[in-house]
Amino acid sequence: MASSTPPSNDLLALCMAQWPGRDWAWLDIGNDQSTVARQQSAGPLVHALPIGSTSLARRCLRHNPPDDADVEAAIATAEDTVMPLVRMWPAPSAQTSLLCTAPEMTSLVQQLAAPADVTEATAVLLLYPTDAVEDWFNRYADTVMGGPLRGLALSQGQIALLIMVRECLHHWGMQTLAVLRGPHQD
């Protein structure tokens, strides 16, 4: 499951230069599979994950809009995918961040984020606290449970992406999420 090179060194190097006191992991969510790289002193640990935003949506989000059973199935599937890495990785430090890239990440964050959610920023990256991501998920979950839409118009892929990011942050012990200001082009 592990490989020897991260998906790209440039973005991770940018994060490490901007916020040098942090421990970094990079999650690159594709349509059908994803890659995660975790920085450590001996070099990155890189793993392929057999799920992406489109495949998770196709597998679990059977209704449009998804109902609570669909969302629970997507959460369980994401957990089953990310939990094995918890046992393989060193414990997170007090300042562990997740850089997440995905084709729909920019459009997702534009819908969910409010300016107050950003804790730090550069010309290229925005850094959000984990609590902001949890608030985004709760805002979405409120719509699933029959609450007002509150301006959300998420695609199935964006819903799956939000679930994957939330589960990774939670289970991997990350304190912040870094995202690109614009579309990801690697």
Side-chain angles (χ1 to χ4, degrees):
M1 186 156 122
S3 66
S4 59
T5 58
S8 169
N9 290 322
D10 294 341
L11 284 173
L12 204 51
L14 178 65
C15 289
M16 293 170 68
Q18 179 64 36
W19 296 287
R22 295 183 183 276
D23 182 20
W24 284 94
W26 179 5
L27 177 64
D28 189 36
I29 300 175
N31 290 325
D32 295 318
Q33 61 184 3
S34 302
T35 305
V36 62
R38 174 85 186 263
Q39 274 306 113
Q40 64 172 22
S41 59
L45 297 171
V46 181
H47 302 275
L49 300 177
I51 196 159
S53 57
T54 301
S55 60
L56 180 62
R58 189 173 43 245
R59 180 175 175 183
C60 299
L61 305 178
R62 299 176 190 267
H63 300 92
N64 192 11
D67 61 20
D68 56 344
D70 291 347
V71 173
E72 287 299 324
I75 290 170
T77 300
E79 284 178 339
D80 290 347
T81 302
V82 304
M83 284 301 293
L85 295 181
V86 172
R87 293 182 294 279
M88 300 169 72
W89 283 353
S93 70
Q95 290 291 318
T96 305
S97 296
L98 179 67
L99 168 63
C100 184
T101 54
E104 293 192 64
M105 192 61 161
T106 301
S107 61
L108 173 67
V109 170
Q110 287 172 345
Q111 278 202 68
L112 297 174
D117 289 338
V118 176
T119 57
E120 295 182 55
T122 69
V124 178
L125 295 163
L126 300 170
L127 198 65
Y128 296 92
T130 301
D131 290 346
V133 177
E134 191 63 29
D135 289 344
W136 300 341
F137 178 80
N138 290 336
R139 182 176 164 200
Y140 170 71
D142 182 46
T143 66
V144 171
M145 302 305 289
L149 288 177
R150 297 193 293 176
L152 293 179
L154 302 182
S155 69
Q156 301 286 71
Q158 288 173 323
I159 295 164
L161 178 59
L162 177 59
I163 289 169
M164 289 179 69
V165 169
R166 176 185 180 247
E167 295 308 309
C168 290
L169 288 167
H170 174 73
H171 292 293
W172 295 343
M174 306 290 168
Q175 284 77 38
T176 53
L177 171 69
V179 298
L180 294 169
R181 284 187 182 267
H184 172 52
Q185 297 173 350
D186 200 23

